[in-house]
mmCIF file of all heavy atoms in Angstrom:
data_model
loop_
_atom_site.group_PDB
_atom_site.id
_atom_site.type_symbol
_atom_site.label_atom_id
_atom_site.label_comp_id
_atom_site.label_asym_id
_atom_site.label_seq_id
_atom_site.Cartn_x
_atom_site.Cartn_y
_atom_site.Cartn_z
ATOM 1 N N GLU A 179 0.921 135.038 72.162
ATOM 2 C CA GLU A 179 1.679 136.230 71.737
ATOM 3 C C GLU A 179 2.036 136.222 70.281
ATOM 4 O O GLU A 179 2.269 137.237 69.637
ATOM 5 C CB GLU A 179 3.002 136.320 72.562
ATOM 6 C CG GLU A 179 3.935 135.212 72.332
ATOM 7 C CD GLU A 179 4.732 134.740 73.546
ATOM 8 O OE1 GLU A 179 4.141 134.590 74.633
ATOM 9 O OE2 GLU A 179 5.984 134.685 73.449
ATOM 10 N N ASN A 180 1.981 135.036 69.662
ATOM 11 C CA ASN A 180 2.313 134.953 68.229
ATOM 12 C C ASN A 180 1.150 135.264 67.325
ATOM 13 O O ASN A 180 1.350 135.357 66.114
ATOM 14 C CB ASN A 180 2.829 133.475 67.929
ATOM 15 C CG ASN A 180 4.195 133.195 68.557
ATOM 16 O OD1 ASN A 180 4.995 134.120 68.773
ATOM 17 N ND2 ASN A 180 4.413 131.929 68.888
ATOM 18 N N LEU A 181 -0.026 135.464 67.881
ATOM 19 C CA LEU A 181 -1.180 135.831 67.074
ATOM 20 C C LEU A 181 -1.003 137.225 66.442
ATOM 21 O O LEU A 181 -1.685 137.515 65.489
ATOM 22 C CB LEU A 181 -2.446 135.780 67.959
ATOM 23 C CG LEU A 181 -2.895 134.378 68.446
ATOM 24 C CD1 LEU A 181 -4.034 134.527 69.408
ATOM 25 C CD2 LEU A 181 -3.287 133.508 67.247
ATOM 26 N N SER A 182 -0.120 138.021 66.967
ATOM 27 C CA SER A 182 0.068 139.377 66.469
ATOM 28 C C SER A 182 1.082 139.494 65.399
ATOM 29 O O SER A 182 1.418 140.588 64.959
ATOM 30 C CB SER A 182 0.502 140.308 67.642
ATOM 31 O OG SER A 182 1.697 139.896 68.206
ATOM 32 N N LEU A 183 1.618 138.375 64.934
ATOM 33 C CA LEU A 183 2.738 138.364 63.982
ATOM 34 C C LEU A 183 2.310 138.363 62.512
ATOM 35 O O LEU A 183 3.182 138.232 61.658
ATOM 36 C CB LEU A 183 3.649 137.135 64.230
ATOM 37 C CG LEU A 183 4.272 137.124 65.607
ATOM 38 C CD1 LEU A 183 5.127 135.846 65.728
ATOM 39 C CD2 LEU A 183 5.168 138.355 65.890
ATOM 40 N N PHE A 184 1.026 138.471 62.252
ATOM 41 C CA PHE A 184 0.549 138.250 60.880
ATOM 42 C C PHE A 184 0.035 139.475 60.196
ATOM 43 O O PHE A 184 -0.794 139.384 59.298
ATOM 44 C CB PHE A 184 -0.487 137.140 60.857
ATOM 45 C CG PHE A 184 0.112 135.825 61.345
ATOM 46 C CD1 PHE A 184 -0.014 135.434 62.669
ATOM 47 C CD2 PHE A 184 0.808 135.006 60.524
ATOM 48 C CE1 PHE A 184 0.562 134.216 63.123
ATOM 49 C CE2 PHE A 184 1.360 133.782 60.935
ATOM 50 C CZ PHE A 184 1.266 133.454 62.261
ATOM 51 N N SER A 185 0.473 140.649 60.584
ATOM 52 C CA SER A 185 0.140 141.846 59.936
ATOM 53 C C SER A 185 0.669 141.792 58.476
ATOM 54 O O SER A 185 1.834 141.533 58.305
ATOM 55 C CB SER A 185 0.729 143.080 60.620
ATOM 56 O OG SER A 185 0.435 144.258 59.945
ATOM 57 N N GLY A 186 -0.183 142.046 57.489
ATOM 58 C CA GLY A 186 0.206 141.989 56.093
ATOM 59 C C GLY A 186 0.041 140.584 55.488
ATOM 60 O O GLY A 186 0.307 140.383 54.288
ATOM 61 N N TYR A 187 -0.394 139.646 56.289
ATOM 62 C CA TYR A 187 -0.713 138.277 55.776
ATOM 63 C C TYR A 187 -2.208 138.128 55.711
ATOM 64 O O TYR A 187 -2.959 138.567 56.602
ATOM 65 C CB TYR A 187 -0.145 137.220 56.703
ATOM 66 C CG TYR A 187 1.336 137.168 56.802
ATOM 67 C CD1 TYR A 187 2.034 138.139 57.584
ATOM 68 C CD2 TYR A 187 2.109 136.197 56.142
ATOM 69 C CE1 TYR A 187 3.378 138.069 57.687
ATOM 70 C CE2 TYR A 187 3.433 136.148 56.263
ATOM 71 C CZ TYR A 187 4.119 137.105 57.021
ATOM 72 O OH TYR A 187 5.494 137.076 57.132
ATOM 73 N N ALA A 188 -2.699 137.513 54.648
ATOM 74 C CA ALA A 188 -4.145 137.304 54.526
ATOM 75 C C ALA A 188 -4.454 135.912 55.023
ATOM 76 O O ALA A 188 -4.130 134.906 54.474
ATOM 77 C CB ALA A 188 -4.546 137.368 52.991
ATOM 78 N N THR A 189 -5.117 135.845 56.187
ATOM 79 C CA THR A 189 -5.521 134.587 56.810
ATOM 80 C C THR A 189 -7.043 134.586 57.006
ATOM 81 O O THR A 189 -7.668 135.572 57.357
ATOM 82 C CB THR A 189 -4.852 134.387 58.163
ATOM 83 O OG1 THR A 189 -5.085 135.501 59.022
ATOM 84 C CG2 THR A 189 -3.334 134.267 58.018
ATOM 85 N N ARG A 190 -7.552 133.416 56.851
ATOM 86 C CA ARG A 190 -9.036 133.267 57.074
ATOM 87 C C ARG A 190 -9.352 133.244 58.552
ATOM 88 O O ARG A 190 -10.411 133.773 58.966
ATOM 89 C CB ARG A 190 -9.506 131.931 56.425
ATOM 90 C CG ARG A 190 -11.011 131.664 56.485
ATOM 91 C CD ARG A 190 -11.297 130.308 55.965
ATOM 92 N NE ARG A 190 -10.956 130.137 54.520
ATOM 93 C CZ ARG A 190 -11.853 130.209 53.568
ATOM 94 N NH1 ARG A 190 -13.142 130.315 53.791
ATOM 95 N NH2 ARG A 190 -11.474 130.041 52.267
#
Side-chain angles (χ1 to χ4, degrees):
E179 65 214 49
N180 292 330
L181 292 171
S182 62
L183 300 177
F184 298 94
S185 176
Y187 295 76
T189 56
R190 185 186 294 258

